[in-house]
Amino acid sequence: MKLFLDTANIQEIRDGARLGVISGVTTNPSLASAEGIGNSESYKTAVCEISDIVDGPISVEVISLDAEGMIAEGRDIANWIPNPWVKIPSTIDGFKAISVLSKEGIQINQTLCFSVNQAILGAQAGSTAVSPFIGRLDDIGLQGIDLIKDIVTVYKEHSIETKVLAASIRHTLHCTLAAQAGAHIATVPYKILTQMVEHPLTTSGVARFKADWEKIANA
Ligand code: E4P
């Protein structure tokens, strides 16, 4: 399973990229807004900077709600950087836009996916990746991870090539479970990426090796 960073924070992206484990970045209007980005020009500037740091797909979300607006935004975003994935929501207008843009060769990250049926529709419309939001399903008392398992099963059964991108990841167990469920990609907030590194036995083991070495070195 590949890992993407789920943030629009440039410092987090720089720090995450240094680990050498990040294959892409996902952004959305909420993440952009958290960084003080509130218009298309500043979003573009940030996305270009992200693209200079990470050599992989950078997901950029459309703001329009109607198909024509999404198509126009998608065409524009497609020219911002070398490897954009245009994020389009799983709505009627979204599917219209996905089917037009995908036929033009534009890569699509179909976002806000909450059902297998939406994932089936997206695959037919030409989505490059579908993003089931597991944390938001957990928030309403469902098992978000089950949606990943179900989409992976259906896509395998029908040899569908659309990637399953586990999104709305809230804790490290979500990453493990998404990998076990067969997700191709998980997009993780920077804090969770660093928590994936942590284990108390690694911390204590490193300290003990150093202390034992210094006993002789300082004897
Ligand atoms: C990523 O593509 C999604 O937009 C993001 O993971 C959503 O996360 P949230 O549910 O924590 O806002």
Side-chain angles (χ1 to χ4, degrees), residues 31 51 57 74 77 83 94 99 107-108 124 138-139 150 161 175 177 182 194 201 218:
L31 293 170
S51 174
I77 290 166
N83 199 358
S99 52
Q107 307 295 306
I108 306 295
Q124 298 315 305
D138 288 1
D139 290 346
D150 291 345
E161 288 180 6
C175 293
L177 295 175
T194 58
L201 291 177
N218 298 331

Side-chain angles (χ1 to χ4, degrees), residues 4-7 25-31 59 61 87 109-112 114 131-137 139 165-170 187-189:
F4 287 5
L5 262 183
D6 195 21
T7 180
V25 173
T26 52
T27 66
N28 65 36
S30 303
L31 293 170
S59 289
E61 189 151 346
K87 275 178 97 176
N109 174 352
Q110 179 198 334
T111 191
L112 288 165
F114 293 98
S131 290
F133 274 35
I134 59 182
R136 293 195 196 186
L137 283 169
D139 290 346
L165 195 174
S168 188
I169 290 214
R170 298 282 162 74
T187 188
V188 295

Side-chain angles (χ1 to χ4, degrees), residues 149-170:
K149 288 183 197 160
D150 291 345
I151 296 172
V152 167
T153 302
V154 168
Y155 278 10
K156 270 197 187 138
E157 180 66 25
H158 297 280
S159 304
I160 289 170
E161 288 180 6
T162 302
K163 306 273 183 227
V164 179
L165 195 174
S168 188
I169 290 214
R170 298 282 162 74

